[in-house]
Amino acid sequence: MSIVLPMTLWILIAVMTAVAALSILVPMSRKRPPEDETVGQTADEAVYRQQLDEVEKDLERGLIDDEAANAARTEIARRLLAAHERAEKADAAPKASWPLRFGQIVAIAGLPLVALGVYLFIGSPDLPDQPLAARMSAPPQDQSVEMLVARVEKHLAENPQDGQGWDVLAPVYMRLNKPREAAGAYQHAIRLLGPSVRRMTDLGEALTVANDGIVSADARGAFEQAIKLDKTAVKPRFFIALALGQEGKKDEAIAAWQDLLKDADPRAAWVPVARQNLAALDGTVPPMAENLPGPNHEQMAAAADMSAADRNQMVAGMVGRLAERLNSQGGTPAEWARLIRAYTVLGKKDEAQAALQKASAAYAGDPAAMGQIAQIAGQLGLAAPEGMAPPMAENLPGPNREQMAAAADMNAADRNQMIAGMVGKLADRLNSEGGSPAEWSRLIRAYTVLGKKDEAQAAFKQASAAYADDPAALGQIKETAGQLGLKTE
Amino acid sequence: MIVELGHYALVLTFALALVQSVVPVWGALRGDDRLMAIAPPVSILMFLLVLVSFVALTIAYVTSDFSVVNVWENSYSAKPLLYKITGVWGNHEGSVLLWVLILVFFGGLVGYFGRNIPAPLRATTLSVQAWITAGFTLFMLATSNPFARIANPPVEGNGLNPILQDIGLAVHPPLLYVGYVGFSITFSFAVAALILGRLDAAWARWVRPWTLLAWVFLTLGIAMGSYWAYYELGWGGWWFWDPVENASFMPWLAGTALLHSAIVMEKRDALKVWTVLLAIFTFSLSLLGTFLVRSGVLTSVHAFATDPARGVFILVLLCLFIGGSLSLYAWRAPVLKQGGLFAPISREGALVFNNLFLTAAATAVFVGTLYPLALDIVTGDKISVGAPFFNLTFAPLMVPLLLAVPFGPVLAWKRGDLLAACQRLYAAFGIAILAVLFTLWLWGVENVLAPLGAGLAVWIMAGSVSEIVTRVKLFEIGPSRALSRLWGLPGSAWGTAVAHFGVGITVLGIVTASAFQEERIQTMHPGESVELHHFEVTFDGSAPRTGPNYTEDVGHFTVRSGGVEVAAMDPSKRIYTARKMPTTESAILTSGLSQLYLSLGEVHQDGSMDVRVYYKPLVTLIWGGCLIMAFGGMLSIADRRLRVGAPKPAARRKMPSAPAPAE
């Protein structure tokens, strides 16, 4: 079918073009009939003659009197004579034939050339029609994720009591990054099928993601219910620990993390995140995972094993080098953010504030960069310098979102083809049309989450090439890559 | 495939328009019949091709083909079929396509029916029409392509602006466009006459039906737009001097002037140069209206500046067509031969008077519409020119014009007799005086202008009736013979009388509805009543309601007259969920020719509502008059006769009876 359709299209296009060319060629080649000639030559005369008749009719009907009729006749007759003289004078000179040739060439060559040229430039001849009904009834393997979701949605709109349907749809929403809809679907599923550890946990996760990574009271309730069902479940405990940290209950959070890590498989994907959180709460280890060029997960793990003094020294040295470089050569907003964060972690609040001032001075004219810096400052509880925009809501998902991704990993649910297909489409589009830094970051993140480290690295390379001369965008992409533990240099 | 076929048809139209732009006019200038001969078939083919495009886009809308960007942006699958179809022109790209469809439709009509037009005039006219076609198809292909595609279409569309989900607004743009764009053919005829350096009888004969047709549709379109604004916007007004309204009103004023000057040209071969200029102005104002509405310059000058591609393109087209045609006019108009002479007091003189005031009125509207825009661009100051400005400029221009309306048809051609004309109108004048007195008696002397206005309206109506009565000589030859004469009256005579009568009706509606309107604006608790005129309106309570794609707060009202329940009215405030857009649904009770109008404001927590109640006496006459005017225009089109203006000979002896002007 897919080959036949364009063929028909081209045939019809050819027919249309031929008809258009003929509409020019045929009248040009035809000898005009003589009566047409008279119409052209003496049309005015005919009009005036008819006007004379009209005067007679008006007179007959009594609409005008004799006198007016006579006056009208005289006037029309005068115009008739003038028109007649004009027609006499009209020349009947022989016509040259080259304009006709020109017209014929235009019809045969010029017209198709212009029409096809323009169409090939702006048209999409290979795209078939895609009426919604046909797309809806296509076999599932030919349909996009969105299409399948739409079908399920339609089904659920008609059968809202189908708990299995909601249960299937909810995780798909999560993957499509629609946490709010996912939470709604989980609530339906729980209402119809009853609570389970997985459903409660996933509901809590959806609520948390929808709430920008902050564990709300509702979400916490869901996690607690999940723990009630299974005390050993890792994922809800992870989130509870996170919630405690967010609430500022430092000691309880530390206890929760330690409890969680106690009998964890050290190779599990969430472990580094948990350790990082624990370290952050401890106040002695910098949360390096989200840094730019700098220690990766291994080094960070190593740092965690060092003694507190050694660690501080290592960090202080790194920070010093970074500060020197930024002061002398400048740097990306992400680098400044990293410096500010490092100072804060090291307890050097004044230095942090000073670095913030310098950074905001350096990016005074760049609202996007300012937003990024302001966000960091806000997170760290620093006073925002004057003129600095409040943190931008549309910034890339912060570290919390990252932890979410790691947490989602614990689920150990196998990734299905849906997500892979989506990522593939995104990659296609970005490769062919390009995209925003945020979209590139999403792709890199998606590859990482799918465990395709090489692809992620390649996408990072492409993105950096695309934004080579845009330091703000580059910084944003690098930040993402750094957070994901990719090589960023 | 259908979509792509439509796309190719549009591209092919562009290519054909390029050929048509050059070859026939070249043939006309060289006197080469064979080159001129391509114009009619090509103009018909262009119409068919754009029709294919339009049908293709419509099919894409009906089948919700979201692989078409335009469909995805402006439609959604759950929309009723009717609004899927009307949604085709409910957006920028689609409406430009409709614009072009009507443009080539008029070209095709001239190509098909224009066999009795002299070949050079027809060929050149169609070439000029093709210039406009080429310009606007290029505009579409370059900046607003309705056939742009998405490879991986989304599942659902973005919906239609809910305010467009209304049958009034769905029908109104096509009518308006037939009016706007219909003037293009008059423009093409005018430019062709300038190029060929000749204006003959056939020219005037051909321009008249096109002008009338465009004018009829424009009248209907404006009337419908006005009624839509009246019931949908919930403000109780029927004309807001809004720039979008003015954009359609300016061509109407110029077109009305053109209509009248074309009569002079057709019948008396006079005012030729002026008529050509008016034809150019009328379409220029249509183009200006298109620019104002389509470029987004009205929404905000700054929005226009940030995305200028479309606006600049139309602006360039505008400058090319208007500047080009006016330059051509300046260069060629002296070549055109001036026609018949006439005395100041004559039918021609009356029509010149009409033209002067109509063009002055159009100028006033033009200034009021464009001055705020110009000021915003130059100084950045935002001012709004509203009703007060137009009341001070437009209204005073209308009064003498309306006063003069009944005189026009009773004056003789070439040289008229004002005294005789007055004598023929004394009855009408008497009726008008009675009307003034009656209005004074009915409503009192609070507002002196209102009875005078009502008198003016009745003067125009009575004048057109007396015109017919005297033409059939009702009082001279008796009713039975007069009836047969009535039947024999030409369509154009009926057209004039009916259209002028319609003007009177509209004026009457405007005067009574604005001067004698009663209104109450207050917060009402359930159970409360307001009394207005002879109605008692009781608020029974409100309730939320959910529609297919909106939620609304409905107020339930009972209307009693003299203690008897006459109607239940349910105005509401809607929120369309998809776009979070509120609309007001007013409730209207028509009683006789007057209306009771209910519209809701704020809904309060305690169940009370802000309610606006209007009683608008004779308000329906405003639109009824427009319908009658359009009907008059149709009667005049239906008149297939050639029209001859028999000049009144210079008086050599005393005429026993008043001169009978002919149509």
Side-chain angles (χ1 to χ4, degrees):
Chain A
M1 272 306 269
S2 54
I3 301 161
V4 177
L5 276 180
M7 225 21 240
T8 328
L9 176 70
W10 287 117
I11 290 169
L12 286 169
I13 283 179
V15 169
M16 274 159 77
T17 317
V19 169
L22 287 178
S23 77
I24 298 171
L25 287 176
V26 171
M28 266 189 192
S29 58
R30 203 188 295 153
K31 186 88 190 84
R32 309 205 66 202
E35 65 267 19
D36 237 23
E37 205 79 10
T38 29
V39 169
Q41 293 285 331
T42 60
D44 318 353
E45 283 182 51
V47 170
Y48 293 129
R49 277 185 221 288
Q50 286 169 8
Q51 281 194 339
L52 278 178
D53 294 345
E54 210 63 59
V55 172
E56 297 306 320
K57 270 186 219 155
D58 278 357
L59 185 64
E60 248 169 64
R61 260 191 258 164
L63 291 173
I64 50 175
D65 58 21
D66 282 338
E67 206 162 349
N70 274 331
R73 274 192 218 112
T74 322
E75 201 173 281
I76 295 164
R78 229 181 281 137
R79 289 183 214 147
L80 181 61
L81 277 176
H84 190 68
E85 274 167 38
R86 263 205 310 270
E88 298 272 278
K89 270 191 275 172
D91 60 316
K95 307 294 184 295
S97 63
W98 69 266
L100 201 63
R101 283 286 133 67
F102 171 80
Q104 285 162 341
I105 290 168
V106 163
I108 295 166
L111 185 80
L113 219 62
V114 170
L116 285 173
V118 172
Y119 177 70
L120 286 178
F121 185 63
I122 60 173
S124 325
D126 45 342
L127 273 188
D129 291 343
Q130 304 190 31
L132 195 62
R135 288 166 64 202
M136 282 283 196
S137 55
Q141 64 267 25
D142 291 351
Q143 291 186 348
S144 67
V145 182
E146 290 88 344
M147 209 64 225
L148 293 169
V149 170
R151 279 176 74 172
V152 178
E153 277 172 349
K154 207 175 153 203
H155 164 79
L156 286 174
E158 285 154 15
N159 308 290
Q161 299 305 314
D162 179 1
Q164 287 297 342
W166 290 111
D167 208 28
V168 168
L169 185 59
V172 179
Y173 274 139
M174 254 339 248
R175 301 228 162 78
L176 292 175
N177 200 14
K178 291 179 172 173
R180 232 167 280 279
E181 285 83 349
Y186 276 124
Q187 274 156 354
H188 280 297
I190 290 164
R191 177 171 56 81
L192 296 164
L193 303 177
S196 75
V197 178
R198 181 183 62 77
R199 277 181 214 124
M200 294 313 294
T201 311
D202 289 350
L203 169 62
E205 184 189 358
L207 288 169
T208 308
V209 173
N211 201 16
D212 285 327
I214 308 296
V215 182
S216 64
D218 286 348
R220 198 172 163 166
F223 292 129
E224 277 163 358
Q225 217 178 326
I227 295 172
K228 220 179 270 169
L229 291 168
D230 178 5
K231 280 195 171 33
T232 61
V234 175
K235 193 168 167 182
R237 284 160 65 211
F238 179 97
F239 275 100
I240 293 289
L242 204 61
L244 290 169
Q246 286 169 354
E247 287 162 19
K249 297 176 180 163
K250 196 172 162 186
D251 296 339
E252 288 172 57
I254 291 171
W257 286 121
Q258 276 165 349
D259 184 43
L260 196 58
L261 284 168
K262 195 170 60 196
D263 30 45
D265 176 357
R267 283 165 303 173
W270 58 270
V271 169
V273 181
R275 295 176 90 144
Q276 184 190 334
N277 268 289
L278 182 55
L281 286 167
D282 240 351
T284 45
V285 181
M288 298 277 192
E290 59 191 283
N291 274 354
L292 282 178
N296 56 22
H297 284 291
E298 283 81 9
Q299 288 169 318
M300 214 186 69
D305 289 338
M306 285 190 240
S307 74
D310 288 345
R311 206 157 44 204
N312 274 349
Q313 210 175 3
M314 174 183 135
V315 171
M318 281 168 56
V319 171
R321 282 196 296 279
L322 179 62
E324 221 173 271
R325 186 161 65 77
L326 293 183
N327 282 332
S328 56
Q329 303 166 11
T332 67
E335 284 174 326
W336 279 106
R338 181 182 157 215
L339 179 64
I340 297 165
R341 188 190 299 277
Y343 274 134
T344 317
V345 169
L346 289 171
K348 299 183 176 174
K349 195 125 190 181
D350 293 346
E351 271 96 330
Q353 195 69 50
L356 180 61
Q357 290 293 355
K358 274 184 212 164
S360 49
Y363 281 95
D366 183 348
M370 283 295 265
Q372 216 177 331
I373 296 165
Q375 196 187 26
I376 299 296
Q379 282 172 3
L380 298 173
L382 295 176
E386 260 183 20
M388 185 171 263
M392 292 205 303
E394 69 221 317
N395 257 350
L396 279 178
N400 280 323
R401 193 58 76 80
E402 214 32 59
Q403 293 161 344
M404 292 308 108
D409 260 11
M410 296 191 305
N411 201 349
D414 50 342
R415 325 220 183 309
N416 58 24
Q417 285 158 340
M418 281 181 180
I419 194 164
M422 277 174 56
V423 173
K425 269 175 201 156
L426 179 62
D428 280 353
R429 186 163 63 76
L430 293 182
N431 282 330
S432 57
E433 298 165 28
S436 69
E439 285 174 324
W440 278 107
S441 301
R442 200 185 310 150
L443 180 65
I444 297 167
R445 190 186 306 276
Y447 274 136
T448 316
V449 172
L450 287 171
K452 298 184 177 172
K453 196 122 188 179
D454 293 346
E455 276 92 337
Q457 194 70 53
F460 169 69
K461 216 180 225 169
Q462 273 174 309
S464 341
Y467 283 96
D469 41 9
D470 181 350
L474 198 58
Q476 214 180 331
I477 296 162
K478 278 192 175 173
E479 192 184 37
T480 309
Q483 284 169 5
L484 298 168
L486 296 177
K487 290 194 283 284
T488 52
E489 287 301 332
Chain B
M1 188 189 73
I2 295 170
V3 173
E4 289 304 313
L5 217 55
H7 196 177
Y8 183 72
L10 193 62
V11 174
L12 192 58
T13 309
F14 170 64
L16 270 178
L18 290 181
V19 177
Q20 179 89 318
S21 300
V22 179
V23 175
V25 64
W26 191 25
L29 290 173
R30 292 177 46 90
D32 191 331
D33 287 336
R34 290 168 302 181
L35 293 183
M36 286 191 264
I38 76 159
V42 171
S43 68
I44 294 166
L45 186 63
M46 284 201 293
F47 166 63
L48 295 176
L49 286 173
V50 179
L51 190 65
V52 166
S53 278
F54 194 81
V55 169
L57 188 62
T58 310
I59 290 175
Y61 265 88
V62 170
T63 60
S64 293
D65 187 342
F66 296 125
S67 69
V68 179
V69 176
N70 188 251
V71 180
W72 169 65
E73 281 175 347
N74 299 296
S75 191
Y76 62 95
S77 58
K79 198 160 65 170
L81 181 64
L82 176 69
Y83 294 121
K84 279 183 183 166
I85 294 172
T86 61
V88 174
W89 58 79
N91 60 83
H92 170 76
E93 287 83 359
S95 68
V96 178
L97 186 61
L98 179 69
W99 205 96
V100 171
L101 179 68
I102 294 169
L103 188 72
V104 292
F105 172 65
F106 275 95
L109 281 183
V110 170
Y112 189 78
F113 291 108
R115 287 195 197 90
N116 52 353
I117 313 177
L121 179 63
R122 178 170 56 161
T124 314
T125 302
L126 289 176
S127 273
V128 176
Q129 191 79 358
W131 298 348
I132 309 171
T133 312
F136 276 89
T137 38
L138 183 63
F139 168 64
M140 267 205 279
L141 296 174
T143 69
S144 349
N145 196 334
F147 294 106
R149 302 291 296 273
I150 318 169
N152 294 304
V155 178
E156 194 47 278
N158 283 348
L160 171 77
N161 186 343
I163 213 158
L164 298 178
Q165 274 186 34
D166 176 274
I167 192 65
L169 209 65
V171 180
H172 152 235
L175 286 179
L176 215 52
Y177 278 12
V178 171
Y180 263 21
V181 186
F183 284 120
S184 68
I185 206 76
T186 342
F187 171 85
S188 296
F189 267 109
V191 172
L194 288 172
I195 291 172
L196 299 173
R198 264 184 62 192
L199 269 179
D200 40 38
W203 192 93
R205 203 187 148 198
W206 262 90
V207 164
R208 183 179 67 108
W210 299 115
T211 317
L212 270 171
L213 190 65
W215 181 86
V216 164
F217 279 99
L218 195 55
T219 308
L220 291 175
I222 292 174
M224 186 166 269
S226 154
Y227 192 68
W228 172 82
Y230 171 71
Y231 75 74
E232 182 74 21
L233 296 183
W235 303 337
W238 43 271
W239 189 261
F240 299 99
W241 295 109
D242 175 85
V244 176
E245 288 175 323
N246 292 350
S248 60
F249 194 45
M250 287 188 280
W252 187 86
L253 288 170
T256 311
L258 173 63
L259 206 64
H260 289 90
S261 81
I263 299 176
V264 180
M265 180 165 172
E266 187 186 358
K267 295 193 173 178
R268 296 275 301 128
D269 216 24
L271 291 186
K272 286 187 198 178
V273 176
W274 168 245
T275 305
V276 165
L277 185 64
L278 263 185
I280 291 175
F281 273 151
T282 306
F283 185 59
S284 299
L285 289 171
S286 299
L287 281 178
L288 181 77
T290 309
F291 166 73
L292 287 178
V293 176
R294 286 282 136 239
S295 68
V297 72
L298 287 179
T299 338
S300 153
V301 172
H302 304 288
F304 169 67
T306 49
D307 181 21
R310 285 173 179 174
V312 168
F313 203 114
I314 306 189
L315 197 61
V316 168
L317 282 181
L318 196 71
C319 294
L320 271 180
F321 285 120
I322 300 179
S325 56
L326 288 180
S327 312
L328 189 69
Y329 178 81
W331 177 43
R332 298 289 285 186
V335 179
L336 301 173
K337 231 182 81 198
Q338 290 291 345
L341 302 170
F342 53 86
I345 303 288
S346 63
R347 184 86 70 91
E348 293 94 320
L351 291 166
V352 169
F353 182 85
N354 150 302
N355 270 226
L356 278 177
F357 279 86
L358 279 174
T359 39
T363 312
V365 178
F366 182 85
V367 170
T369 311
L370 290 194
Y371 179 69
L373 280 178
L375 196 69
D376 190 3
I377 291 164
V378 175
T379 67
D381 292 343
K382 296 217 178 300
I383 60 161
S384 115
V385 172
F389 169 85
F390 294 102
N391 289 344
L392 278 175
T393 53
F394 184 80
L397 284 170
M398 282 298 111
V399 172
L401 178 63
L402 294 173
L403 274 175
V405 164
F407 284 103
V410 298
L411 282 170
W413 291 103
K414 200 161 180 179
R415 49 185 81 73
D417 184 343
L418 194 57
L419 194 66
C422 289
Q423 280 169 357
R424 297 178 62 179
L425 287 169
Y426 71 89
F429 190 71
I431 296 173
I433 295 290
L434 285 179
V436 173
L437 294 175
F438 177 73
T439 320
L440 278 173
W441 172 74
L442 203 62
W443 273 298
V445 285
E446 291 159 39
N447 186 345
V448 184
L449 284 178
L452 291 179
L456 177 64
V458 172
W459 160 242
I460 299 169
M461 288 189 274
S464 38
V465 173
S466 89
E467 155 73 4
I468 292 289
V469 167
T470 43
R471 287 195 65 164
V472 300
K473 301 186 179 162
L474 179 64
F475 300 115
E476 294 167 38
I477 58 175
S480 59
R481 280 186 60 205
L483 200 66
S484 69
R485 277 179 66 91
L486 197 68
W487 194 245
L489 274 186
S492 59
W494 278 111
T496 308
V498 170
H500 285 176
F501 192 79
V503 174
I505 296 267
T506 298
V507 171
L508 185 62
I510 291 172
V511 169
T512 51
S514 3
F516 306 118
Q517 159 180 307
E518 292 172 43
E519 69 175 75
R520 299 274 185 284
I521 301 176
Q522 63 186 75
T523 306
M524 289 176 84
H525 293 273
E528 279 183 350
S529 300
V530 286
E531 294 203 13
L532 196 67
H533 202 249
H534 59 280
F535 292 113
E536 188 193 357
V537 181
T538 311
F539 178 41
D540 300 329
S542 66
R545 188 159 68 188
T546 310
N549 52 355
Y550 56 83
T551 57
E552 60 181 354
D553 286 314
V554 189
H556 296 290
F557 295 83
T558 310
V559 183
R560 290 183 185 80
S561 178
V564 184
E565 192 173 320
V566 287
M569 292 173 81
D570 294 344
S572 68
K573 271 180 84 75
R574 273 184 198 168
I575 306 262
Y576 281 85
T577 35
R579 294 203 185 183
K580 295 269 170 283
M581 201 160 152
T583 65
T584 322
E585 304 294 314
S586 49
I588 296 173
L589 173 68
T590 307
S591 110
L593 294 170
S594 310
Q595 289 186 331
L596 186 68
Y597 184 107
L598 236 73
S599 162
L600 296 182
E602 202 71 13
V603 182
H604 299 291
Q605 288 297 328
D606 60 352
S608 63
M609 278 180 157
D610 288 346
V611 182
R612 274 171 291 180
V613 191
Y614 301 92
Y615 177 70
K616 292 172 174 290
L618 304 187
V619 70
T620 52
L621 291 185
I622 296 175
W623 306 287
C626 293
L627 290 181
I628 295 174
M629 272 189 252
F631 179 65
M634 302 277 236
L635 283 178
S636 201
I637 298 176
D639 182 2
R640 299 294 304 157
R641 295 177 327 130
L642 288 175
R643 303 200 295 177
V644 190
K648 189 193 169 206
R652 277 177 303 249
R653 55 172 191 269
K654 259 202 148 127
M655 301 264 288
S657 64
E663 277 299 326

